[in-house]
Amino acid sequence: MRAPAGAAVREGGYAVADGAPPQVERGPGWALARTEAGLTSAVVGLHGWGAEPEAADAVREVEANAYGPHSATPYLLAGAHPGGASVHVTLVVLTRDDVRPWALKEAIGCVVRGDAVRVTFPDGEELVL
């Protein structure tokens, strides 16, 4: 990505909605939103994202989603960009399985060299971009 100095970089996951407000959790480099029915959206910063408390959160909305009156979308935020080029790599998850973003962050490897990105999953499978 190329950005002017001072620009913020933000990436969001999928919105989840339900009759009750989704539960939101966040930690260093990750955020998730989970409905009472168990639908979970998570974002996990694998490279280029800060670990500050304000760098991961969720946007909550009311009456903004066709699937339920309460919705939330997790996101990552990199504050004021110094300008020029940078690479940000994010894992975006939408599932009904139990998700532990901190474990995914530790278990998934990400190496960036220039514009080349290599992601290694826990089973050994690699993705080269």
Side-chain angles (χ1 to χ4, degrees):
M1 176 200 108
R2 293 196 175 279
V9 179
R10 180 175 162 161
E11 179 154 40
Y14 295 98
V16 293
D18 207 350
Q23 173 188 3
V24 172
E25 297 177 33
R26 58 192 150 280
W30 63 268
L32 72 76
R34 180 180 295 120
T35 66
E36 285 186 348
L39 183 61
T40 302
S41 175
V43 288
V44 180
L46 300 178
H47 179 83
W49 299 100
E52 301 81 28
E54 66 275 4
D57 206 347
V59 174
R60 295 175 183 266
E61 296 289 344
V62 177
E63 299 296 347
N65 191 299
Y67 292 101
H70 298 279
S71 62
T73 307
Y75 69 86
L76 298 175
L77 178 67
H81 194 272
S86 65
V87 177
H88 294 78
V89 182
T90 308
L91 174 67
V92 179
V93 178
L94 181 64
T95 186
R96 283 198 186 275
D97 291 338
D98 190 22
V99 175
R100 295 178 180 92
W102 57 93
L104 291 171
K105 188 169 180 60
E106 292 176 9
I108 297 174
C110 181
V111 176
V112 175
R113 289 196 176 100
D115 290 338
V117 176
R118 179 181 303 269
V119 178
T120 306
F121 296 95
D123 65 359
E125 184 177 341
E126 289 188 340
L127 176 63
V128 179
L129 307 169

